Amino acid sequence: DRGKPIHVLTEKLMAWNIRQCKQMIRTAKECGSILSVGHQRHYSMLYAHATEVINAGVLGDIRHIRALWHRNFSWPFDPKSVKDELAKGVPQPYYRDGWFPPITRLDYDALADKKDMLKKYGYDDIEHLIRWRLYQATGGGLMAELGSHQLDACSIFLGHVHPLAVSGVGVRSFFGPGRNDRDIDDHVFATYEFPGKNYAKDKNDVVVVTYSSISTNGFENYGECVMGDRGTLIVEKEEAVMLYPENEPGKVKTPPRGTEVGVSVAGKGEPVLESGSTWGGPSATVTGTSVGPGGPVSRGYREEMEDFAYCVRLWDPKLGYAKDSDGKYKQRLTRCHGEVAMADAIVALTANHAMHTHQRVEFKDAWFDPDSPEVPPSDQKAKVEVA
């Protein structure tokens, strides 16, 4: 009706289930609209540097990636920390918990006459709307909210590949009735099997990726640890990258996490690790790519918005999502368009299914194909689609 397409940049997770993801992709194609989803690690210079180091072979042969996002919500909530009056008749926090915020009378009263609207959009009540992350149907749990970011990063590190299988354990062992209750797990532990670079020829070439998110200990910074046979790369808090070499037999031993290292070029022109310097987000130069000195580390949010605006300016709705003979899009899409984001949703929601059914689930290629009607088993118990 406008005579031009409406372009959409939406938050992650892309949708409540994969059927909805495929519907969004189809709708974008039919309308000639750009669909982009906010997985900002695709735009982070820090992750671009880390990926460059990995692709250069500095770490050697990668066999394991360990990702985590740990937090501690075991401290008691102090009602005096809230300036406004708390609402009566609704559960208030027992612990200090960002996903279980206090509900003030001002907010509650403002929504009190909106119950029909809440039902229309899939929320049971006001508490459900405000604390939507606590419910599997509206938030997707720790895997959707946190794990999707880090499995996205692991996939990027391994060459944008899809996982082969996932298994795991999820428990609700800390929160409970009267104590920030929820219907999502408060501790999750997932194990993924990803194809290695030679998997097509050797089915034993598998990279194991583990992910954990817990709610009762914040000892380690959130991030990813990529382990190769020549070195280890650690990305912490989206703001620092550290490299550690493996000790070569017969040479001077150094504490694995006590050595600061950098990247240089050996006599054959190949990148290697050497001790003596370190590099981080704001002021590093690695294999020809540099980040300007000073200032806060970019986590990719601004770059994501700029890229979306750039694609909007260049977009030809008539060309839309047409592909060439090599299967590549004829015009530029955002780095995290619908198909990319759908893969992140599949990875996260299938892990939930594996944990809840105590099964090892193998991924199917058809799930990642937006034109295929096949969807993961997690869709069988997914929230009913709403308008």
Side-chain angles (χ1 to χ4, degrees), residues 64-67 151 154 158 190-194 207-211:
H64 177 50
I65 300 178
R66 176 176 173 266
L151 271 300
C154 294
L158 296 174
T191 300
Y192 290 84
E193 301 160 42
F194 276 82
V207 179
V208 175
V209 176
T210 60
Y211 177 75

Side-chain angles (χ1 to χ4, degrees), residues 37-53:
V37 182
H39 286 278
Q40 76 274 8
R41 279 169 175 75
H42 289 273
Y43 300 91
S44 166
M45 287 299 296
L46 192 74
Y47 277 88
H49 282 314
T51 303
E52 189 174 358
V53 169

Side-chain angles (χ1 to χ4, degrees), residues 10 25 41 90 94 109 148 180 203 257 276 279 292 325 328:
T10 182
I25 294 171
R41 279 169 175 75
V90 295
Y94 182 85
D109 289 349
S148 60
N180 296 28
K203 300 306 179 185
R257 292 201 62 158
W279 64 280
S325 57
K328 297 181 180 179

Side-chain angles (χ1 to χ4, degrees), residues 20-278:
Q20 288 178 331
C21 292
K22 296 192 176 188
Q23 180 182 344
M24 291 170 69
I25 294 171
R26 288 196 302 270
T27 301
K29 291 180 178 179
E30 292 168 0
C31 296
S33 302
I34 296 174
L35 171 62
S36 187
V37 182
H39 286 278
Q40 76 274 8
R41 279 169 175 75
H42 289 273
Y43 300 91
S44 166
M45 287 299 296
L46 192 74
Y47 277 88
H49 282 314
T51 303
E52 189 174 358
V53 169
I54 293 170
N55 291 342
V58 172
L59 303 183
D61 191 20
I62 296 171
R63 286 278 148 252
H64 177 50
I65 300 178
R66 176 176 173 266
L68 60 92
W69 198 320
H70 296 175
R71 304 174 297 174
N72 192 337
F73 292 136
S74 65
W75 310 107
F77 170 73
D78 181 6
K80 295 179 181 179
S81 64
V82 182
K83 295 181 180 179
D84 298 323
E85 179 185 352
L86 296 177
K88 306 294 184 182
V90 295
Q92 297 295 352
Y94 182 85
Y95 298 109
R96 295 178 60 182
D97 175 0
W99 287 15
F100 200 107
I103 298 178
T104 65
R105 184 178 66 83
L106 184 65
D107 289 339
Y108 190 88
D109 289 349
L111 294 166
D113 61 347
K114 304 291 193 301
K115 293 182 179 179
D116 290 341
M117 182 191 72
L118 295 178
K119 292 287 185 181
K120 176 182 177 182
Y121 291 106
Y123 299 98
D124 297 333
D125 48 37
I126 295 173
E127 180 189 351
H128 188 186
L129 172 64
I130 294 175
R131 297 170 178 159
W132 59 272
R133 282 188 169 95
L134 305 182
Y135 302 88
Q136 194 70 43
T138 50
L142 292 168
M143 287 306 306
E145 282 295 296
L146 303 180
S148 60
H149 280 303
Q150 305 196 264
L151 271 300
D152 184 27
C154 294
S155 176
I156 293 172
F157 291 155
L158 296 174
H160 296 275
V161 295
H162 298 153
L164 302 168
V166 62
S167 57
V169 176
V171 296
R172 199 182 319 157
S173 59
F174 179 67
F175 298 117
R179 297 176 289 107
N180 296 28
D181 201 9
R182 61 203 62 203
D183 73 8
I184 61 169
D185 296 325
D186 50 40
H187 291 65
V188 297
F189 309 87
T191 300
Y192 290 84
E193 301 160 42
F194 276 82
K197 58 185 178 181
N198 296 315
Y199 179 79
K201 297 180 179 179
D202 180 4
K203 300 306 179 185
N204 291 317
D205 185 17
V206 172
V207 179
V208 175
V209 176
T210 60
Y211 177 75
S212 61
S213 182
I214 66 177
S215 300
T216 54
N217 186 289
F219 175 69
E220 295 180 275
N221 290 322
Y222 74 87
E224 301 82 32
C225 176
V226 185
M227 307 177 77
D229 58 11
R230 291 297 179 267
T232 299
L233 179 147
I234 299 176
V235 185
E236 286 189 344
K237 299 174 63 176
E238 299 179 79
E239 63 184 31
V241 175
M242 292 159 284
L243 290 168
Y244 301 96
E246 285 293 290
N247 287 316
E248 185 176 345
K251 292 196 173 183
V252 177
K253 301 287 186 181
T254 56
R257 292 201 62 158
T259 305
E260 296 180 340
V261 299
V263 180
S264 65
V265 178
K268 298 180 180 180
E270 298 176 350
V272 296
L273 292 181
E274 64 175 13
S275 61
S277 65
T278 188

